[in-house]
Amino acid sequence: MIYKWSIRSHTDTDLQIASILASELKVNYVIGLLLVQRGITTLETARKFFKPSLRDLHDPLLLPDMHRAIKRLNKALGNKEKIMVYGDYDVDGTTAVSLVYKFLRPYSSSLDYYIPDRYDEGYGVSFKGIDYAEANGVTLIIALDCGIKAIDKVAYAREKGIDFIICDHHMPDDELPAAVAVLDAKRTDSEYPYEHLSGCGVGFKFMEAFARSNDIPFSSLENLLELTAVSIASDIVPITGENRILAYYGLQQLNSVPSLGMKGIINICGLSGKEITISDIVFKIGPRINASGRMMNGREAVDLLLAKDMKVAREKSENINQYNEERRELDKRITDEANAIINEIKNIEDQKGIIVYDPTWHKGVIGIVASRLTEKYYRPAVVLTKSSELITGSARSIVGFDIYKAIESCRDLLENFGGHTYAAGLSLREENLETFIRRFMQIADEEIKPEQMIPQIDIDAIIELKDVNARFMAELKTMSPFGPDNEKPVFCSRNVQDYGTSKCVGKDLEHLKLEIIDSKGGGPVHGIAFGMHQYSRYIKEMKPFDICYTIEENTFNGNTTIQLMVKDIRPLEE
């Protein structure tokens, strides 16, 4: 794939501020530049960025309806009412349910939790879940990571004498459900200072407010931060502001005193004894928790996260690891089948969106398949399958195209939909499928410009290889945790060449293991370029090239070295 390289530009003022910050903080000038790029322009904000503090968390009472939520929860606990903690089946939902249930467990002997079945009930609050609550004498449901659009479900529950407290972070409609309280920082009437909390993060703020109302020390909440970190990383919300604080301390807990359930996952992922990062959650921990809801039922993930016994944690971890292996096989097969369908589409290069449908595809992996198609073809992709009587789908997007709004504009054709700017889900009746495809593709055709369909690599700074050293690596690490809106910095080095030891590696020799130097005496520096074997002959001929990369630590046999994770190579001949 050909990438467009976009090197960030800076004003003279930016450069001056970067120099001052670097001097005062005693760090490399490039670190100062990276801070300015993130809107950090004063010593005070820089110090708060490098040393997040739990004291800087926002007042949970600023969330709309929080007072009402606390009052209703306290009443339920005081009257020994049966409470059900209800959450979605993905990582954000299951961590949110685990967090609230774990914190309330010492204060209630009438507490239950419920995760809807992806296939039988679908996303969000279900009538079946409410019927279960009624049959078990539940009078209060705390809904997490879902419920913001459950107007009919909440009304149904009220008829049965069941109240709802909704803790959600998705975009609300103009009309809110008639719940006792709707906690969502994205409400139009919200004055909460930060709107990007995860669903689990909203649950944490609810428990923070509950603890304060009952004079429970904040320290009793700190063991829950590992769950907020996992939800923030897995739900791909911005790691800025309050999320940065929650993720920072959650990672500390994962790396020092993880719960038994998390320890089970860490062991099964092969992360024991290693420093766990946001990337480890995104690519290893999160997918395993998700696999429970994709392949079986998300309740088992909650069972694991709440485990009080190491034997149970080990058993549940092995189960979800097996589900993840099955998920990977299924995901590969369906991705191959989707690619085969796309290969049959005439003039696919002229289409600005991709929609593929097969009624036999497994509902649990179509979101992953949509992500893979978007990554491969760099177009918004919608992957559809049949579930019960409805067609259901997952959508993923590219930079600059709001797929949630595109789907929302087709709402008259849909039974249900929800999501974010770059990821959404939907369901519709089969008779509306052709109209939906036509309308969605028309929206994509009108809104997406040709240049948006060329993937872009944003480069933070041009540096020389001599800058890539242990001190610079240590300073970069202080900017973590990395994630959306605080991406791992991408660097470019010009006019580098092979040191004489670069070679192809991998089962099919598809990857490049590099050892490079530059014309100014920098290097040799090691790097790995996955899937870039096509450049090997050029590089082995000692011809110069430009390279863009992130800087990583690579630990092998107990030894840690610095390694470039190559994103693209550009031969100077081109």
Side-chain angles (χ1 to χ4, degrees):
M1 182 176 285
I2 297 174
Y3 293 93
K4 175 185 175 183
W5 290 17
S6 176
I7 300 172
R8 294 184 190 273
S9 58
H10 305 93
T11 65
D12 289 342
T13 302
D14 290 339
L15 301 177
Q16 185 179 8
I17 293 171
S19 181
I20 293 169
L21 287 175
S23 175
E24 292 290 335
L25 295 167
K26 295 180 173 52
V27 295
N28 189 296
Y29 168 73
V30 174
I31 300 295
L33 201 59
L34 295 173
L35 290 173
V36 172
Q37 289 171 1
R38 285 152 177 74
I40 299 165
T41 57
T42 67
L43 280 173
E44 182 185 0
T45 55
R47 289 182 176 126
K48 284 189 174 184
F49 178 81
F50 286 125
K51 291 287 185 183
S53 171
L54 292 168
R55 291 189 299 273
D56 290 328
L57 292 176
H58 300 305
D59 183 349
L61 297 177
L62 293 174
L63 275 168
D65 289 356
M66 184 61 85
H67 287 284
R68 286 195 275 177
I70 297 166
K71 183 178 179 181
R72 183 64 185 91
L73 177 55
N74 282 331
K75 178 185 173 184
L77 292 170
N79 293 338
K80 294 184 168 47
E81 294 179 50
K82 187 77 176 285
I83 302 170
M84 187 167 84
V85 185
Y86 187 115
D88 193 24
Y89 39 67
D90 67 2
V91 180
D92 196 12
T94 52
T95 53
V97 167
S98 302
L99 185 149
V100 171
Y101 185 90
K102 184 179 283 192
F103 191 69
L104 292 181
R105 184 163 50 188
Y107 308 107
S108 174
S109 58
S110 301
L111 198 62
D112 195 4
Y113 56 91
Y114 188 93
I115 305 292
D117 185 274
R118 182 189 290 263
Y119 309 100
D120 185 35
E121 297 166 80
Y123 167 79
V125 179
S126 70
F127 289 113
K128 182 177 178 180
I130 295 168
D131 289 340
Y132 172 89
E134 181 191 28
N136 286 273
V138 170
T139 52
L140 176 62
I141 295 176
I142 301 173
L144 295 144
D145 190 36
C146 61
I148 197 67
K149 295 186 177 183
I151 292 170
D152 55 343
K153 313 294 196 316
V154 171
Y156 179 72
R158 287 187 73 180
E159 292 172 1
K160 296 177 176 296
I162 302 171
D163 287 335
F164 260 88
I165 295 172
I166 293 170
C167 303
D168 207 344
H169 69 128
H170 295 97
M171 288 297 296
D173 284 334
D174 293 336
E175 181 184 359
L176 296 175
V180 171
V182 178
L183 309 179
D184 190 333
K186 290 189 175 74
R187 282 176 52 166
T188 55
D189 62 342
S190 174
E191 295 180 359
Y192 194 74
Y194 190 76
E195 68 173 14
H196 300 298
L197 292 167
S198 64
C200 184
V202 178
F204 181 87
K205 299 306 292 186
F206 183 24
M207 293 301 96
E208 184 185 357
F210 165 75
R212 185 187 298 181
S213 76
N214 289 280
D215 295 323
I216 301 167
F218 181 86
S219 58
S220 63
L221 289 156
E222 292 181 14
N223 68 325
L224 304 174
L225 290 170
E226 63 173 15
L227 294 166
T228 66
V230 171
S231 78
I232 287 165
S234 301
D235 218 51
I236 322 202
V237 292
I239 303 187
T240 57
E242 196 162 35
N243 279 344
R244 178 172 173 81
I245 299 169
L246 295 171
Y248 181 89
Y249 285 95
L251 282 171
Q252 281 192 358
Q253 188 188 352
L254 278 175
N255 281 294
S256 55
V257 283
S259 64
L260 287 178
M262 283 296 185
K263 196 169 184 179
I265 305 173
I266 289 167
N267 290 341
I268 210 79
C269 290
L271 293 172
S272 184
K274 298 179 181 178
E275 183 182 3
I276 297 166
T277 65
I278 291 291
S279 291
D280 292 322
I281 297 173
V282 171
F283 295 109
K284 295 181 180 180
I285 294 173
R288 284 168 171 81
I289 296 174
N290 243 339
S292 176
R294 292 186 187 281
M295 306 304 297
M296 296 295 286
N297 186 289
R299 186 177 177 93
E300 189 162 9
V302 179
D303 292 341
L304 167 61
L305 295 173
L306 295 175
K308 293 181 175 180
D309 178 90
M310 198 60 218
K311 182 180 178 183
V312 172
R314 190 181 303 113
E315 176 189 318
K316 297 293 182 185
S317 297
E318 289 171 355
N319 287 351
I320 67 169
N321 192 58
Q322 181 58 40
Y323 302 151
N324 193 51
E325 291 300 315
E326 294 168 9
R327 187 273 305 166
R328 290 171 66 178
E329 292 175 11
L330 204 56
D331 149 29
K332 184 182 184 307
R333 177 175 64 78
I334 294 174
T335 300
D336 289 344
E337 291 174 5
N339 280 319
I341 293 172
I342 294 167
N343 289 338
E344 294 298 316
I345 299 174
K346 294 180 180 178
N347 303 320
I348 182 64
E349 63 277 0
D350 297 326
Q351 294 191 17
K352 294 182 179 178
I354 292 170
I355 299 180
V356 288
Y357 169 56
D358 187 315
T360 67
W361 285 341
H362 196 286
K363 183 182 175 184
V365 299
I366 56 174
I368 301 171
V369 175
S371 294
R372 298 200 192 289
L373 298 182
T374 297
E375 185 179 331
K376 179 175 181 179
Y377 299 100
Y378 213 71
R379 288 160 172 75
V382 182
V383 179
L384 302 164
T385 187
K386 194 77 174 285
S387 179
S388 299
E389 299 302 312
L390 294 175
I391 291 174
T392 185
S394 285
R396 299 293 184 269
S397 194
I398 58 174
V399 173
F401 182 69
D402 190 331
I403 206 158
Y404 176 84
K405 283 188 177 177
I407 289 171
E408 184 182 37
S409 68
C410 304
R411 67 185 305 160
D412 57 303
L413 303 171
L414 306 176
E415 296 300 304
N416 197 8
F417 72 97
H420 310 286
T421 302
Y422 296 117
L426 66 149
S427 61
L428 69 163
R429 297 194 180 279
E430 195 152 11
E431 57 265 29
N432 291 329
L433 178 59
E434 286 188 18
T435 308
F436 170 76
I437 293 173
R438 185 169 62 252
R439 197 187 298 179
F440 179 88
M441 295 297 277
Q442 182 181 349
I443 294 167
D445 190 58
E446 290 172 355
E447 294 189 10
I448 297 175
K449 298 178 177 63
E451 56 267 28
Q452 283 178 255
M453 293 157 54
I454 301 172
Q456 178 172 297
I457 297 175
D458 293 319
I459 296 169
D460 294 278
I462 298 172
I463 64 175
E464 296 174 7
L465 292 183
K466 66 179 176 59
D467 295 318
V468 181
N469 54 46
R471 180 177 175 178
F472 187 54
M473 182 74 232
E475 292 175 355
L476 276 179
K477 286 178 70 175
T478 62
M479 297 188 69
S480 65
F482 296 112
D485 291 354
N486 183 40
E487 299 284 356
K488 189 170 289 185
V490 177
F491 302 106
C492 169
S493 291
R494 303 283 200 192
N495 198 21
V496 303
Q497 67 180 64
D498 182 21
Y499 182 58
T501 50
S502 298
K503 59 183 178 181
C504 289
V505 295
K507 183 180 177 183
D508 299 312
L509 300 179
E510 69 271 37
H511 312 307
L512 266 176
K513 187 174 182 182
L514 298 171
E515 195 167 0
I516 56 175
I517 55 175
D518 64 21
S519 57
K520 296 184 179 180
V525 176
H526 295 273
I528 184 73
F530 290 112
M532 299 187 201
H533 63 94
Q534 69 270 26
Y535 297 114
S536 62
R537 185 172 177 182
Y538 178 94
I539 289 171
K540 291 302 290 180
E541 290 174 356
M542 310 293 284
K543 294 180 179 178
F545 56 95
D546 293 344
I547 190 171
C548 64
Y549 53 85
T550 59
I551 305 174
E552 315 285 344
E553 284 184 330
N554 182 42
T555 301
F556 183 72
N557 285 340
N559 295 318
T560 299
T561 56
I562 295 174
Q563 176 176 266
L564 309 184
M565 188 66 69
V566 179
K567 299 179 78 69
D568 199 21
I569 290 171
R570 183 171 287 177
L572 290 191
E573 285 183 0
E574 298 177 8

